[in-house]
Amino acid sequence: MTEPSAPMTPEERDALASELALGLLTGAERAEALRLQLSDPAFAADVTAWERRLAPLHHDFAEHRPSLEVWAGIAAQIEPKATVASGVTRQLRVWRASALVSGALAASLAFVLLFRPPASLPPQIVQAAPANQMAVAQMVGQGSNMLVAARYDETTAQLNLRAENLPQGDLAPELWVIPADGKPRSLGMISARGTTRMAVSPKMRAMLENGVTLAITMEPAATAPHAAPSSAPVAAGKISII
Amino acid sequence: MSTAEPSSGPDAARSKLIDALQAVAQQDRAALRQVYDMTSAKLFGICLRISNDRDAAEDILQDVYIKVWNRAGRFDAGRASPITWLCAIARNSAIDWRRASGRVATAPEEAAFAIADTRMRADQTIEQDQETTRIHQCIDTLEERQATAIRAAFFDGLTYADLSARMDVPLGTMKSWMRRGLQRLKGCLGDD
């Protein structure tokens, strides 16, 4: 659960990346590879490289015309006042699958949450650590200038986030914590630019543990907070306790 | 980044698609309709091939365009061709459906070879066409069983378990064929 059993050689890592990109894996093997994709930027880069290698094959799928009802169904779902709540369970399932599907994170950024153990570290170390972690962000978000850094102070239960270059538009970024049960819980909306400070509720505090995933999805701000995300994350990363 | 854009032909279609996706990112519904008109036959072909079920394929296709609606802001024209980006969403969605529905492979093994006869390339640039030709040339250099397995995995969305059943070999054997085949493919493509 916490540490990989044995470190993989670069060859093994690339072989696993090829299997994930091609879609050969199922069950526990697939889950483990997807988890690795979220936590290991080098592995994520291998998967992306395999997706690029295989991409030209897409052009050999033959075209077929769908029936006219398909567009009617899409149009109904993108109406301005679409009922977001109606399909929460289904959306959650779709989100979980799509969040983990390789392409979803290729253009994303690393999301680093830094814990400060109560009164144990001098402030300078806390200040210095983000720069260290940013290197990870750069690797995962190659080609993208999106960045979210987060710092959580356990003594005050205050979460501070700094966002740069998140998508702007009608939708706003919503922060989720995804604990071991795999169900995203909303921590609330955050600002697409600059700093957001939020107080974390006691229930949510317990979920902010080492290795747990944080993610950001773009959601309608008016109806926040949401029971479940409606789209794949634009950013995801693991909590590191320092 | 792209260089000169001709006013017609595949490159023009590509820039039109990029523009439409960028408008979709601003929640422009007419732009989604445009993306749909330009790409739905292609993406439906992917959903249909992998799901092998017309009704399911239409449901998957609907989901695909809702995902496009939600994710268009993350499409980066500097990193991926628009049609490849869309195809990947369709293929992944169809594969997820297959996994969730517990659908087992029913098409005969030879189906993987039939692909070559049904190629549709109207939306491709010359560069993409060359890349497609190249990967086929590389797959053709593999042992026949490796080539068959790779094509079946890509075009039919088959897993290791499906492939081992369909090709009637133990799972471990399938896995080592596949891993060797993919590494040889990588060597042939020579992009590292």
Side-chain angles (χ1 to χ4, degrees):
Chain A
M1 201 74 194
T2 49
E3 294 298 320
S5 50
M8 282 189 289
T9 65
E11 290 74 24
E12 285 166 342
R13 200 185 65 199
D14 189 64
L16 186 65
S18 68
E19 292 170 332
L20 183 64
L22 191 49
L24 293 164
L25 304 176
T26 45
E29 275 186 320
R30 181 159 185 266
E32 177 55 27
L34 292 169
R35 201 181 64 78
L36 193 62
Q37 193 185 18
L38 285 171
S39 63
D40 181 347
F43 178 70
D46 285 345
V47 176
T48 303
W50 270 105
E51 285 168 347
R52 290 216 175 124
R53 260 174 222 127
L54 297 169
L57 290 175
H58 282 126
H59 296 280
D60 289 345
F61 280 102
E63 297 193 0
H64 290 275
R65 290 264 157 228
S67 70
L68 296 175
E69 287 84 61
V70 176
W71 173 257
I74 296 165
Q77 288 189 61
I78 62 171
E79 279 302 304
K81 282 272 168 190
T83 52
V84 177
S86 67
V88 164
T89 314
R90 187 171 150 278
Q91 281 169 357
L92 180 59
R93 179 174 59 73
V94 168
W95 184 83
R96 268 199 232 160
S98 63
L100 296 172
V101 162
S102 46
L105 289 168
S108 82
L109 50 127
F111 192 131
V112 185
L113 183 65
L114 305 170
F115 269 78
R116 187 171 68 182
S120 61
L121 292 171
Q124 295 94 315
I125 291 179
V126 176
Q127 293 303 317
N132 206 11
Q133 298 283 349
M134 294 303 178
V136 177
Q138 219 171 10
M139 276 194 280
V140 177
Q142 21 155 240
S144 162
N145 56 0
M146 288 197 288
L147 183 71
V148 177
R151 188 167 357 139
Y152 176 66
D153 189 334
E154 211 171 24
T155 54
T156 59
Q158 182 89 9
L159 183 60
N160 290 342
L161 296 109
R162 191 169 49 78
E164 285 173 18
N165 304 312
L166 284 177
Q168 284 193 315
D170 294 342
L171 298 177
E174 185 162 4
L175 179 67
W176 305 87
V177 57
I178 310 170
D181 66 7
K183 275 193 205 139
R185 265 77 156 200
S186 178
L187 287 165
M189 307 304 284
I190 68 166
S191 166
R193 291 279 187 286
T195 305
T196 304
R197 295 174 206 284
M198 53 169 75
V200 180
S201 71
K203 204 176 137 195
M204 293 299 187
R205 275 176 227 168
M207 294 182 191
L208 299 179
E209 296 173 328
N210 199 27
V212 159
T213 298
L214 286 185
I216 291 178
T217 62
M218 303 307 291
E219 304 289 349
T223 51
H226 302 102
S230 67
S231 64
V234 295
K238 299 263 183 195
I239 294 175
S240 307
I241 296 182
I242 59 164
Chain B
M1 294 310 289
S2 57
T3 50
E5 301 286 359
S7 59
S8 65
D11 285 342
R14 181 189 163 113
S15 13
K16 207 169 139 197
L17 190 51
I18 291 171
D19 290 347
L21 281 172
Q22 282 163 354
V24 172
Q26 305 303 313
Q27 307 289 282
D28 178 338
R29 295 197 295 282
L32 186 69
R33 175 70 213 221
Q34 198 187 356
V35 172
Y36 183 86
D37 288 342
M38 293 177 78
T39 59
S40 57
K42 181 72 181 182
L43 303 195
F44 187 57
I46 293 174
C47 297
L48 193 58
R49 172 76 195 238
I50 291 176
S51 68
N52 200 22
D53 176 330
R54 194 173 172 99
D55 287 345
E58 295 200 335
D59 287 347
I60 300 163
L61 188 68
Q62 203 163 304
D63 263 359
V64 166
Y65 283 95
I66 297 304
K67 285 178 186 167
V68 171
W69 176 251
N70 289 320
R71 295 185 197 171
R74 268 175 292 144
F75 168 68
D76 179 350
R79 301 182 69 217
S81 97
I83 191 70
T84 296
W85 186 76
L86 292 163
C87 286
I89 294 175
R91 181 170 174 269
N92 287 332
S93 302
I95 287 179
D96 285 345
W97 179 86
R98 262 190 76 96
R99 302 284 188 276
S101 74
R103 186 67 52 127
V104 290
T106 49
E109 186 179 318
E110 293 73 36
F113 292 113
I115 290 288
D117 305 327
T118 55
R119 293 179 190 182
M120 296 291 282
R121 299 190 166 181
D123 55 354
Q124 286 178 60
T125 63
I126 288 163
E127 186 188 340
Q128 286 169 329
D129 206 22
Q130 286 170 342
E131 284 181 354
T132 307
T133 306
R134 184 156 158 255
I135 193 166
H136 279 293
Q137 284 169 345
C138 284
I139 290 173
D140 288 342
T141 68
L142 306 178
E143 288 173 35
E144 191 176 302
R145 61 196 184 185
Q146 290 172 335
T148 302
I150 289 172
R151 288 192 170 108
F154 191 87
F155 293 110
D156 295 323
L158 300 197
T159 63
Y160 270 139
D162 295 330
L163 288 166
S164 124
R166 189 192 270 196
M167 295 175 79
D168 198 21
V169 290
L171 199 58
T173 309
M174 192 65 243
K175 219 168 166 161
S176 67
W177 284 358
M178 186 62 98
R179 283 191 162 204
R180 278 204 306 272
L182 286 168
Q183 289 305 315
R184 275 187 57 190
L185 177 63
K186 180 184 172 187
C188 174
L189 290 167
D191 53 357
D192 283 338

PDB file of all heavy atoms in Angstrom, chain B residues 35-55:
ATOM      1  N   VAL B  35     -17.441  20.053 -34.101  1.00  0.00           N
ATOM      2  CA  VAL B  35     -16.498  18.964 -33.833  1.00  0.00           C
ATOM      3  C   VAL B  35     -17.188  17.627 -34.104  1.00  0.00           C
ATOM      4  O   VAL B  35     -16.625  16.725 -34.727  1.00  0.00           O
ATOM      5  CB  VAL B  35     -15.977  19.017 -32.369  1.00  0.00           C
ATOM      6  CG1 VAL B  35     -15.165  17.775 -32.033  1.00  0.00           C
ATOM      7  CG2 VAL B  35     -15.159  20.276 -32.138  1.00  0.00           C
ATOM      8  N   TYR B  36     -18.440  17.528 -33.657  1.00  0.00           N
ATOM      9  CA  TYR B  36     -19.210  16.296 -33.845  1.00  0.00           C
ATOM     10  C   TYR B  36     -19.370  15.985 -35.337  1.00  0.00           C
ATOM     11  O   TYR B  36     -19.144  14.854 -35.779  1.00  0.00           O
ATOM     12  CB  TYR B  36     -20.574  16.442 -33.172  1.00  0.00           C
ATOM     13  CG  TYR B  36     -21.420  15.197 -33.235  1.00  0.00           C
ATOM     14  CD1 TYR B  36     -21.290  14.196 -32.286  1.00  0.00           C
ATOM     15  CD2 TYR B  36     -22.359  15.015 -34.259  1.00  0.00           C
ATOM     16  CE1 TYR B  36     -22.061  13.039 -32.341  1.00  0.00           C
ATOM     17  CE2 TYR B  36     -23.133  13.860 -34.323  1.00  0.00           C
ATOM     18  CZ  TYR B  36     -22.984  12.882 -33.365  1.00  0.00           C
ATOM     19  OH  TYR B  36     -23.741  11.744 -33.433  1.00  0.00           O
ATOM     20  N   ASP B  37     -19.756  16.988 -36.108  1.00  0.00           N
ATOM     21  CA  ASP B  37     -19.952  16.772 -37.542  1.00  0.00           C
ATOM     22  C   ASP B  37     -18.658  16.333 -38.231  1.00  0.00           C
ATOM     23  O   ASP B  37     -18.674  15.529 -39.144  1.00  0.00           O
ATOM     24  CB  ASP B  37     -20.481  18.046 -38.207  1.00  0.00           C
ATOM     25  CG  ASP B  37     -21.942  18.312 -37.831  1.00  0.00           C
ATOM     26  OD1 ASP B  37     -22.608  17.362 -37.360  1.00  0.00           O
ATOM     27  OD2 ASP B  37     -22.409  19.454 -38.000  1.00  0.00           O
ATOM     28  N   MET B  38     -17.557  16.878 -37.759  1.00  0.00           N
ATOM     29  CA  MET B  38     -16.280  16.573 -38.401  1.00  0.00           C
ATOM     30  C   MET B  38     -15.714  15.212 -37.999  1.00  0.00           C
ATOM     31  O   MET B  38     -14.922  14.628 -38.724  1.00  0.00           O
ATOM     32  CB  MET B  38     -15.238  17.655 -38.070  1.00  0.00           C
ATOM     33  CG  MET B  38     -15.557  19.014 -38.682  1.00  0.00           C
ATOM     34  SD  MET B  38     -14.327  20.262 -38.177  1.00  0.00           S
ATOM     35  CE  MET B  38     -12.947  19.852 -39.269  1.00  0.00           C
ATOM     36  N   THR B  39     -16.087  14.727 -36.807  1.00  0.00           N
ATOM     37  CA  THR B  39     -15.370  13.562 -36.279  1.00  0.00           C
ATOM     38  C   THR B  39     -16.231  12.385 -35.833  1.00  0.00           C
ATOM     39  O   THR B  39     -15.700  11.320 -35.523  1.00  0.00           O
ATOM     40  CB  THR B  39     -14.515  13.984 -35.055  1.00  0.00           C
ATOM     41  OG1 THR B  39     -15.392  14.536 -34.048  1.00  0.00           O
ATOM     42  CG2 THR B  39     -13.490  15.032 -35.441  1.00  0.00           C
ATOM     43  N   SER B  40     -17.572  12.566 -35.794  1.00  0.00           N
ATOM     44  CA  SER B  40     -18.380  11.508 -35.168  1.00  0.00           C
ATOM     45  C   SER B  40     -18.319  10.178 -35.915  1.00  0.00           C
ATOM     46  O   SER B  40     -18.368   9.118 -35.288  1.00  0.00           O
ATOM     47  CB  SER B  40     -19.829  11.961 -34.985  1.00  0.00           C
ATOM     48  OG  SER B  40     -20.387  12.349 -36.219  1.00  0.00           O
ATOM     49  N   ALA B  41     -18.183  10.209 -37.237  1.00  0.00           N
ATOM     50  CA  ALA B  41     -18.132   8.942 -37.977  1.00  0.00           C
ATOM     51  C   ALA B  41     -16.864   8.165 -37.602  1.00  0.00           C
ATOM     52  O   ALA B  41     -16.890   6.945 -37.424  1.00  0.00           O
ATOM     53  CB  ALA B  41     -18.180   9.203 -39.478  1.00  0.00           C
ATOM     54  N   LYS B  42     -15.777   8.904 -37.478  1.00  0.00           N
ATOM     55  CA  LYS B  42     -14.515   8.278 -37.087  1.00  0.00           C
ATOM     56  C   LYS B  42     -14.601   7.704 -35.671  1.00  0.00           C
ATOM     57  O   LYS B  42     -14.273   6.542 -35.431  1.00  0.00           O
ATOM     58  CB  LYS B  42     -13.404   9.343 -37.140  1.00  0.00           C
ATOM     59  CG  LYS B  42     -12.041   8.832 -36.778  1.00  0.00           C
ATOM     60  CD  LYS B  42     -11.532   7.973 -37.879  1.00  0.00           C
ATOM     61  CE  LYS B  42     -10.176   7.395 -37.571  1.00  0.00           C
ATOM     62  NZ  LYS B  42      -9.698   6.596 -38.705  1.00  0.00           N
ATOM     63  N   LEU B  43     -15.052   8.526 -34.739  1.00  0.00           N
ATOM     64  CA  LEU B  43     -15.090   8.087 -33.347  1.00  0.00           C
ATOM     65  C   LEU B  43     -16.126   6.985 -33.138  1.00  0.00           C
ATOM     66  O   LEU B  43     -15.926   6.073 -32.342  1.00  0.00           O
ATOM     67  CB  LEU B  43     -15.361   9.272 -32.397  1.00  0.00           C
ATOM     68  CG  LEU B  43     -14.384  10.453 -32.467  1.00  0.00           C
ATOM     69  CD1 LEU B  43     -14.548  11.344 -31.244  1.00  0.00           C
ATOM     70  CD2 LEU B  43     -12.926  10.018 -32.594  1.00  0.00           C
ATOM     71  N   PHE B  44     -17.221   7.058 -33.903  1.00  0.00           N
ATOM     72  CA  PHE B  44     -18.214   5.989 -33.797  1.00  0.00           C
ATOM     73  C   PHE B  44     -17.620   4.679 -34.315  1.00  0.00           C
ATOM     74  O   PHE B  44     -17.873   3.605 -33.765  1.00  0.00           O
ATOM     75  CB  PHE B  44     -19.486   6.353 -34.567  1.00  0.00           C
ATOM     76  CG  PHE B  44     -20.599   5.360 -34.360  1.00  0.00           C
ATOM     77  CD1 PHE B  44     -21.055   5.074 -33.083  1.00  0.00           C
ATOM     78  CD2 PHE B  44     -21.183   4.715 -35.440  1.00  0.00           C
ATOM     79  CE1 PHE B  44     -22.076   4.153 -32.886  1.00  0.00           C
ATOM     80  CE2 PHE B  44     -22.204   3.797 -35.253  1.00  0.00           C
ATOM     81  CZ  PHE B  44     -22.658   3.514 -33.976  1.00  0.00           C
ATOM     82  N   GLY B  45     -16.818   4.769 -35.346  1.00  0.00           N
ATOM     83  CA  GLY B  45     -16.141   3.580 -35.878  1.00  0.00           C
ATOM     84  C   GLY B  45     -15.290   2.907 -34.804  1.00  0.00           C
ATOM     85  O   GLY B  45     -15.276   1.679 -34.683  1.00  0.00           O
ATOM     86  N   ILE B  46     -14.617   3.720 -34.014  1.00  0.00           N
ATOM     87  CA  ILE B  46     -13.775   3.184 -32.929  1.00  0.00           C
ATOM     88  C   ILE B  46     -14.650   2.515 -31.859  1.00  0.00           C
ATOM     89  O   ILE B  46     -14.398   1.382 -31.456  1.00  0.00           O
ATOM     90  CB  ILE B  46     -12.926   4.323 -32.309  1.00  0.00           C
ATOM     91  CG1 ILE B  46     -11.900   4.824 -33.332  1.00  0.00           C
ATOM     92  CG2 ILE B  46     -12.244   3.852 -31.026  1.00  0.00           C
ATOM     93  CD1 ILE B  46     -11.097   6.047 -32.874  1.00  0.00           C
ATOM     94  N   CYS B  47     -15.704   3.231 -31.450  1.00  0.00           N
ATOM     95  CA  CYS B  47     -16.590   2.692 -30.401  1.00  0.00           C
ATOM     96  C   CYS B  47     -17.248   1.388 -30.853  1.00  0.00           C
ATOM     97  O   CYS B  47     -17.375   0.431 -30.087  1.00  0.00           O
ATOM     98  CB  CYS B  47     -17.678   3.710 -30.042  1.00  0.00           C
ATOM     99  SG  CYS B  47     -17.020   5.241 -29.356  1.00  0.00           S
ATOM    100  N   LEU B  48     -17.656   1.384 -32.130  1.00  0.00           N
ATOM    101  CA  LEU B  48     -18.346   0.219 -32.675  1.00  0.00           C
ATOM    102  C   LEU B  48     -17.400  -0.977 -32.779  1.00  0.00           C
ATOM    103  O   LEU B  48     -17.737  -2.098 -32.411  1.00  0.00           O
ATOM    104  CB  LEU B  48     -18.891   0.586 -34.057  1.00  0.00           C
ATOM    105  CG  LEU B  48     -19.895  -0.345 -34.703  1.00  0.00           C
ATOM    106  CD1 LEU B  48     -21.116  -0.524 -33.810  1.00  0.00           C
ATOM    107  CD2 LEU B  48     -20.327   0.209 -36.062  1.00  0.00           C
ATOM    108  N   ARG B  49     -16.210  -0.730 -33.249  1.00  0.00           N
ATOM    109  CA  ARG B  49     -15.242  -1.810 -33.413  1.00  0.00           C
ATOM    110  C   ARG B  49     -14.904  -2.460 -32.071  1.00  0.00           C
ATOM    111  O   ARG B  49     -14.841  -3.673 -31.934  1.00  0.00           O
ATOM    112  CB  ARG B  49     -13.973  -1.248 -34.061  1.00  0.00           C
ATOM    113  CG  ARG B  49     -12.802  -2.204 -34.131  1.00  0.00           C
ATOM    114  CD  ARG B  49     -13.019  -3.225 -35.234  1.00  0.00           C
ATOM    115  NE  ARG B  49     -12.100  -4.327 -35.068  1.00  0.00           N
ATOM    116  CZ  ARG B  49     -11.233  -4.703 -36.001  1.00  0.00           C
ATOM    117  NH1 ARG B  49     -11.188  -4.085 -37.159  1.00  0.00           N
ATOM    118  NH2 ARG B  49     -10.439  -5.718 -35.783  1.00  0.00           N
ATOM    119  N   ILE B  50     -14.674  -1.625 -31.061  1.00  0.00           N
ATOM    120  CA  ILE B  50     -14.225  -2.159 -29.773  1.00  0.00           C
ATOM    121  C   ILE B  50     -15.389  -2.743 -28.964  1.00  0.00           C
ATOM    122  O   ILE B  50     -15.255  -3.777 -28.334  1.00  0.00           O
ATOM    123  CB  ILE B  50     -13.442  -1.081 -28.985  1.00  0.00           C
ATOM    124  CG1 ILE B  50     -12.114  -0.826 -29.707  1.00  0.00           C
ATOM    125  CG2 ILE B  50     -13.199  -1.511 -27.534  1.00  0.00           C
ATOM    126  CD1 ILE B  50     -11.265   0.274 -29.119  1.00  0.00           C
ATOM    127  N   SER B  51     -16.566  -2.101 -29.038  1.00  0.00           N
ATOM    128  CA  SER B  51     -17.688  -2.624 -28.248  1.00  0.00           C
ATOM    129  C   SER B  51     -18.376  -3.773 -28.976  1.00  0.00           C
ATOM    130  O   SER B  51     -18.952  -4.650 -28.348  1.00  0.00           O
ATOM    131  CB  SER B  51     -18.712  -1.522 -27.971  1.00  0.00           C
ATOM    132  OG  SER B  51     -19.363  -1.138 -29.171  1.00  0.00           O
ATOM    133  N   ASN B  52     -18.326  -3.753 -30.309  1.00  0.00           N
ATOM    134  CA  ASN B  52     -18.982  -4.758 -31.128  1.00  0.00           C
ATOM    135  C   ASN B  52     -20.479  -4.819 -30.802  1.00  0.00           C
ATOM    136  O   ASN B  52     -21.079  -5.894 -30.754  1.00  0.00           O
ATOM    137  CB  ASN B  52     -18.312  -6.125 -30.894  1.00  0.00           C
ATOM    138  CG  ASN B  52     -18.591  -7.088 -32.029  1.00  0.00           C
ATOM    139  OD1 ASN B  52     -18.912  -6.650 -33.137  1.00  0.00           O
ATOM    140  ND2 ASN B  52     -18.480  -8.376 -31.770  1.00  0.00           N
ATOM    141  N   ASP B  53     -21.074  -3.668 -30.525  1.00  0.00           N
ATOM    142  CA  ASP B  53     -22.473  -3.598 -30.107  1.00  0.00           C
ATOM    143  C   ASP B  53     -22.964  -2.195 -30.455  1.00  0.00           C
ATOM    144  O   ASP B  53     -22.518  -1.214 -29.871  1.00  0.00           O
ATOM    145  CB  ASP B  53     -22.529  -3.851 -28.591  1.00  0.00           C
ATOM    146  CG  ASP B  53     -23.945  -3.711 -28.007  1.00  0.00           C
ATOM    147  OD1 ASP B  53     -24.757  -2.918 -28.534  1.00  0.00           O
ATOM    148  OD2 ASP B  53     -24.222  -4.384 -26.999  1.00  0.00           O
ATOM    149  N   ARG B  54     -23.871  -2.107 -31.412  1.00  0.00           N
ATOM    150  CA  ARG B  54     -24.249  -0.794 -31.940  1.00  0.00           C
ATOM    151  C   ARG B  54     -24.887   0.125 -30.893  1.00  0.00           C
ATOM    152  O   ARG B  54     -24.538   1.294 -30.791  1.00  0.00           O
ATOM    153  CB  ARG B  54     -25.198  -0.962 -33.142  1.00  0.00           C
ATOM    154  CG  ARG B  54     -25.320   0.332 -33.905  1.00  0.00           C
ATOM    155  CD  ARG B  54     -26.082   0.246 -35.196  1.00  0.00           C
ATOM    156  NE  ARG B  54     -26.230   1.625 -35.645  1.00  0.00           N
ATOM    157  CZ  ARG B  54     -25.464   2.207 -36.555  1.00  0.00           C
ATOM    158  NH1 ARG B  54     -24.523   1.519 -37.149  1.00  0.00           N
ATOM    159  NH2 ARG B  54     -25.626   3.465 -36.866  1.00  0.00           N
ATOM    160  N   ASP B  55     -25.793  -0.429 -30.093  1.00  0.00           N
ATOM    161  CA  ASP B  55     -26.444   0.406 -29.070  1.00  0.00           C
ATOM    162  C   ASP B  55     -25.431   0.901 -28.047  1.00  0.00           C
ATOM    163  O   ASP B  55     -25.425   2.078 -27.678  1.00  0.00           O
ATOM    164  CB  ASP B  55     -27.546  -0.383 -28.343  1.00  0.00           C
ATOM    165  CG  ASP B  55     -28.757  -0.584 -29.234  1.00  0.00           C
ATOM    166  OD1 ASP B  55     -28.854   0.122 -30.265  1.00  0.00           O
ATOM    167  OD2 ASP B  55     -29.583  -1.461 -28.924  1.00  0.00           O
TER     168      ASP B  55
END
